[in-house]
Amino acid sequence: MSYIEEKKYAGHINQLFNVKEYRFCGGWADGVRAVDVSNGAGLTFTVLVDRAMDIFSMSYKGKNLCYQTPVGVKAPQYFDVEGIGWMQSFGGGFFVTCGLDNIGSPCVDDGSKLPCHGRLSSTPAENFRIERGMDNGTPYVTLIGDMTQMVMFGAQLTLTRKITCRYMENKVTVEDVVSNGCARETPEMILYHFNMGYPLFDENAEVVIPSKKRIPRSDIAAQELDMWDKFTPPVFGYDERCYYHEDMESENGVVTFGMKNKNSDLSVKIAYENKNLPHFLQWKMTGVEEYVCGLEPGNATVDGRANARENGTLKILKPGESVDYRLEISVGEYNEF
């Protein structure tokens, strides 16, 4: 049945395609703006407007797809820039955007002290708006906002984000544009930190990363290089393993990765253009209550900006220059991957 026919049964569009804007009340999350979207076909997700418009929760037909840390939702004013203080604000969720000044390890670069994974994920959106529209008889919703990182005598970077979802289509499109508004060249780093969680992710999960080469990031990861795509039930005292994936197979420059699980009958598929995201890190963590598989495309290595500058992967934006990123997220049953 078409939307036009279905709408005859509904007084308000939210009966079919629900979009709800609100603020959290109480505790560490007090005041955080958020938007819930339910597309009528089983896809439901929450965008945290005051945390870089990242997607915090995502589910399909009532089944959770992502990992959430014990931190939960935390208002941006509690962000700690010291060392790995980022972890005190890291609630996990479907994806967290790291950058724009740093990704990975904290470091000092060019005289600047940079926190773990940068400050972007605790940046509130400005000029935020919700746009509803119709495309060939099908409703869609687009969330739009700007995240800025401005420093006197320093960087002037803006990330403009558009998140779009269509009625009865289990896809979400994320379109980002990072612009340098400064009169000087500025380093720009970005990492899309996707966090697969139970019941999508368990010992039965199949991770799909179309790489021809894997490089372990630590000695313990090197010892289990041939086990990069194998998972155990939760283990006490588990040490994380991280792997760089290189030489990604693509179709017309588009890489597709994700996870599926026959046991829970779930799948998540993510497609992106690897021209501007040439690096990919897998985070394998199967500890008790710390059970997560991170799938992370980025524009540089993740050992901090100083290391990226040294190894030649650091990207620099010229005055007035911008760079585009586009990711398409599809969810469904196991056999839909």
Side-chain angles (χ1 to χ4, degrees), residues 1-18 132 134 137-139 167-168:
M1 187 184 298
S2 70
Y3 168 75
I4 300 300
E5 290 299 313
E6 283 193 289
K7 183 61 176 67
K8 294 177 182 179
Y9 294 87
H12 195 287
I13 188 175
N14 278 351
Q15 288 182 241
L16 305 173
F17 188 19
N18 191 22
R132 284 190 186 257
M134 296 285 289
T138 300
Y167 176 59
M168 296 296 290

Side-chain angles (χ1 to χ4, degrees), residues 99-103 109-110 112 114 119 149 154-158 178-180 182 184-190 299-300 305-306 308-309 313-319 321 323 325:
L100 295 164
D101 49 355
N102 191 43
I103 59 175
D109 177 62
D110 196 26
S112 297
L114 304 169
R119 296 175 290 125
Q149 290 196 347
Q156 296 179 30
L157 294 174
T158 298
V178 178
S179 304
N180 178 16
C182 186
R184 59 177 64 86
E185 293 186 342
T186 303
E188 180 260 343
M189 305 189 80
I190 196 164
N299 74 344
R305 196 170 86 187
R309 187 187 297 274
T313 65
L314 181 64
K315 303 302 184 292
I316 304 294
L317 289 183
K318 297 177 181 178
E321 186 179 9
V323 59
Y325 305 101

